[in-house]
Amino acid sequence: IGGGMANTFLVAQGAQLGASLCEEDHLETARDIMAQASKAGCRILLPVDGLVAREFKAGAEHVVARLGPDTKLEADQMVLDAGPEMVKKMRTALEGLKTVIWNGPMGAFEIAPFDTATVAAAQVAAKQTRDGVLISLAGGGDTVAALNQAGVAYDFTYISTAGGAFLEW
């Protein structure tokens, strides 16, 4: 899970993520999902590190911070992308999959360097799709924009511009 959704799950576990995008009204839902996943033996892959900045702008000064339940960012800091360790974990996680359903970028893909994790995930999924070992389904306007930015939209098996309808499907 990436982006604001990942932040919501991290905050639901106790992380304090400063000014990061987080859906506070869905914290209980995130806890319920984590409990159900645990019972079912399903792994939820959350970022273990992230790019943290005080400004939302291209090239903003940033640091790599460890992320987890004990994370305590300052009030003006925000997680804008998954970090390098998470990119490695994501690549490994994608290797053994047969199907990927993707909704939403992993970070603030609109601006560098906070597009790194999204572009890396898109390129891995696209290559595996081209190699015939992965069925890749992606939906949502931001997802399509991110895949276009990464130059791999036409490599995916199926793309929908409708995010909510795609997830219901």
Side-chain angles (χ1 to χ4, degrees):
I1 297 177
M5 187 182 301
N7 292 342
T8 302
F9 277 75
L10 289 166
V11 170
Q13 292 178 331
Q16 296 173 24
L17 299 183
S20 301
L21 180 62
C22 174
E23 295 184 66
E24 298 278 341
D25 55 331
H26 290 292
L27 295 176
E28 195 56 40
T29 301
R31 288 184 196 102
D32 289 344
I33 290 169
M34 287 185 284
Q36 290 177 32
S38 179
K39 285 181 193 172
C42 178
R43 181 176 58 135
I44 297 176
L45 190 61
L46 292 172
V48 294
D49 64 344
L51 302 186
V52 175
R54 287 186 157 84
E55 296 180 274
F56 182 81
K57 72 173 193 176
E61 186 176 320
H62 63 281
V63 296
V64 175
R66 301 288 305 156
L67 297 178
D70 298 328
T71 300
K72 289 183 173 71
L73 298 183
E74 294 178 24
D76 64 342
Q77 291 181 306
M78 60 192 120
V79 179
L80 293 176
D81 197 12
E85 178 140 348
M86 185 59 198
V87 170
K88 289 178 194 171
K89 283 183 171 284
M90 174 270 313
R91 284 188 172 133
T92 301
L94 284 172
E95 284 176 5
L97 299 180
K98 295 181 181 177
T99 304
V100 166
I101 299 173
W102 185 343
N103 178 257
M106 295 187 69
F109 74 95
E110 307 91 339
I111 54 175
F114 309 112
D115 60 342
T116 305
T118 298
V119 169
Q123 289 174 343
V124 169
K127 180 184 182 320
Q128 290 176 322
T129 302
R130 286 190 310 269
D131 292 347
V133 297
L134 181 70
I135 295 171
S136 52
L137 312 169
D142 283 346
T143 306
V144 174
L147 297 179
N148 280 324
Q149 183 173 318
V152 298
Y154 290 103
D155 295 322
F156 273 60
T157 306
Y158 177 80
I159 294 181
S160 168
T161 57
F166 169 74
L167 289 178
E168 277 193 46
W169 168 76

